Amino acid sequence: MYNRIMPHDVKTHWNSTYDMLKFALEYREAIDVLTADRLNGLRMYELNDTEWIITQQLCDILAVSHNPWIALSSMNRR
């Protein structure tokens, strides 16, 4: 597996929230391991099952608008 950096949520980039949530869902297992370990000092960021479900639902909602914006963005670069 290659190294990846989690995308940041950026106010001025329309799809950054979707990209960040999609990444988190793809790497949920690793995120759970990192945040569950007390020694990492990340326990306050640990998500419970309900929060992961909400994350998935929000990602699904944002996905509806993600694909059309990708198409429009690529058209503007031509």
Side-chain angles (χ1 to χ4, degrees):
M1 178 180 263
Y2 58 93
N3 293 335
R4 288 190 58 200
I5 297 174
M6 185 173 196
H8 296 270
D9 190 18
V10 180
K11 287 184 199 182
T12 57
H13 296 158
W14 295 350
N15 291 312
S16 65
T17 302
Y18 171 79
D19 293 335
M20 179 186 64
L21 294 174
K22 185 176 178 202
F23 180 94
L25 290 165
E26 289 174 10
Y27 288 89
R28 177 184 176 174
E29 188 175 324
I31 291 170
D32 281 342
V33 169
L34 287 172
T35 56
D37 186 348
R38 240 179 347 137
L39 299 175
N40 288 331
L42 301 172
R43 296 289 308 257
M44 67 175 149
Y45 302 110
E46 186 175 18
L47 299 181
N48 62 38
D49 288 339
T50 302
E51 291 167 326
W52 279 113
I53 290 169
I54 293 168
T55 301
Q56 180 64 64
Q57 291 170 341
L58 182 55
C59 191
D60 292 344
I61 290 167
L62 293 174
V64 173
S65 64
H66 184 262
N67 292 332
W69 288 119
I70 297 287
L72 288 174
S73 295
S74 65
M75 288 174 55
N76 288 335
R77 292 182 194 161
R78 293 180 192 183

